[in-house]
């Protein structure tokens, strides 16, 4: 697999991006080429740390980068030589099979949609984020690409999320749930009520509404919502996880007995941290565009980049996009 990486995107670019790319090049046998896209001088300054550099690594110069605070559509149109845009161009031309970015999420969505277009039967692409639970992880879709959605769109998201759950998470018959304020089909706004009816007839393994307190039980594989709700759920979950970690550290440091107890619990605490670690799931795919695009957190470490490259290669290998087109055609998605 050939993967293009936006080397200038993210809070720790290019240091962590290059490190993760080098680790992937050295250990992922399925990856034959990694294009580091961005300012060549800055990338080379990081690569000198890893002599000799794998022959799989190749630099593709891009003179501009899109900052996190820039308005996505305007930035993509104005900065023709941005690292995000050039990485997407490599996918469009067929030189790369997939792209990865920890940069401006909106800019990745805009660039991918404009340059790659959407798959047959897909009206709008959606961001699918994998979140850990008490049991198996689930796919939250949409996690921020579309703030306003109608019922037909949400059904498309459910179909795309189901494909991703099967291909990447290994769920043979993913359980689909609709994010709402109650378990009954009569609960929710008009859009969710209409969506409930469509999902019930869709042929998907739809089990009804999912309330907020049921999200992390591990009983649902795909949770469907619009991008506004999804992004709030995602960022609230991240915030709660950080708060719990902070509270635990404070409590363990409050006296000597608790500090001693924390030493005894260190194995369990590390295990819990691993289960809650979102970096293990390799970022969020932008499903529905005619190419594989993986969006990672702006604060991504080299480990997150490594796993994003791994998941990008898996998505290509599993022919996720081809399956999405097939599923939507069978369910009348187009």
């Amino acid at each position: 697999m050939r993967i293009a990486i936006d080397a200038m995107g993210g809070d720790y670019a290019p240091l962590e991006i290059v490190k993760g790319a080098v680790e992937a090049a050295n250990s992922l046998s399925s990856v034959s080429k990694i294009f580091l896209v961005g300012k060549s001088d800055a990338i080379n300054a990081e690569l000198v740390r890893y002599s000799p550099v794998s022959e799989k690594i190749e630099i593709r110069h891009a003179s501009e980068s899109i900052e996190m605070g820039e308005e996505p559509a305007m930035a993509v149109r104005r900065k023709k030589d941005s690292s995000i845009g050039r990485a997407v161009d490599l996918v469009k031309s067929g030189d790369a099979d997939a792209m990865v970015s920890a940069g401006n999420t909106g800019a990745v969505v805009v660039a991918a949609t404009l340059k790659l277009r959407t798959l047959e039967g897909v009206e709008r692409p959606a961001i699918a984020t994998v979140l850990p639970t008490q049991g198996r992880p689930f796919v939250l879709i949409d996690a921020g690409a579309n703030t306003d959605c109608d019922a037909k769109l949400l059904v498309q998201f459910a179909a795309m999320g189901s494909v991703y759950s099967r291909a990447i998470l290994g769920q043979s018959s993913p359980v689909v749930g609709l994010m709402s304020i109650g378990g009954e089909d009569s609960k929710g706004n008009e859009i969710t009520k209409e969506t409930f009816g469509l999902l019930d007839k869709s042929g998907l393994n739809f089990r009804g509404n999912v309330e907020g307190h049921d999200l992390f039980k591990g009983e649902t594989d795909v949770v469907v919502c619009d991008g506004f709700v999804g992004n709030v759920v995602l960022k609230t979950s991240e915030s709660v996880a950080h708060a719990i970690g902070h509270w635990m550290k404070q409590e363990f440091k409050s006296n000597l007995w608790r500090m001693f107890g924390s030493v005894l619990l260190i194995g369990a605490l590390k295990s819990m941290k691993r289960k809650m670690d979102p970096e293990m799931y390799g970022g969020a795919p932008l499903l529905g565009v005619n190419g594989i695009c993986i969006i990672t957190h702006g604060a991504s470490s080299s480990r997150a980049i490594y796993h994003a490259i791994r998941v990008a290669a898996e998505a290509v290998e599993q022919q996720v996009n081809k399956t999405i087109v097939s599923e939507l055609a069978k369910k009348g998605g187009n």
Side-chain angles (χ1 to χ4, degrees), residues 149-158 176-179 185 187 189-202 204 206 208-209 224-226:
C149 302
D150 60 21
K152 182 181 176 183
L153 268 180
L154 294 176
V155 173
Q156 287 187 0
F157 296 168
V176 176
L178 176 64
M179 192 74 198
D185 58 1
K187 293 291 182 70
N189 57 27
E190 293 305 312
I191 297 296
T192 56
K193 291 176 186 176
E194 183 182 355
T195 305
F196 190 104
L198 293 179
L199 284 172
D200 204 30
K201 302 173 184 176
S202 67
L204 296 168
F206 179 57
N209 288 340
V224 184
C225 57
D226 64 48

Side-chain angles (χ1 to χ4, degrees), residues 27-93:
S27 60
L28 294 177
S29 59
S30 61
V31 175
S32 59
K33 179 70 71 175
I34 294 178
F35 298 104
L36 288 171
V37 185
K39 297 175 182 177
S40 55
D41 290 346
I43 297 171
N44 272 316
E46 295 300 328
L47 281 176
V48 296
R49 303 169 185 260
Y50 309 100
S51 182
V53 177
S54 170
E55 293 181 355
K56 294 180 180 180
I57 300 286
E58 182 177 324
I59 297 174
R60 290 294 178 94
H61 181 68
S63 62
E64 299 174 299
S65 58
I66 296 175
E67 304 302 322
M68 290 295 194
E70 293 189 71
E71 198 284 319
M74 184 180 298
V76 169
R77 290 184 172 88
R78 183 167 55 86
K79 294 184 173 180
K80 303 295 185 183
D81 198 35
S82 72
S83 54
I84 287 175
R86 292 307 183 198
V88 174
D89 285 338
L90 287 171
V91 177
K92 181 180 180 180
S93 67

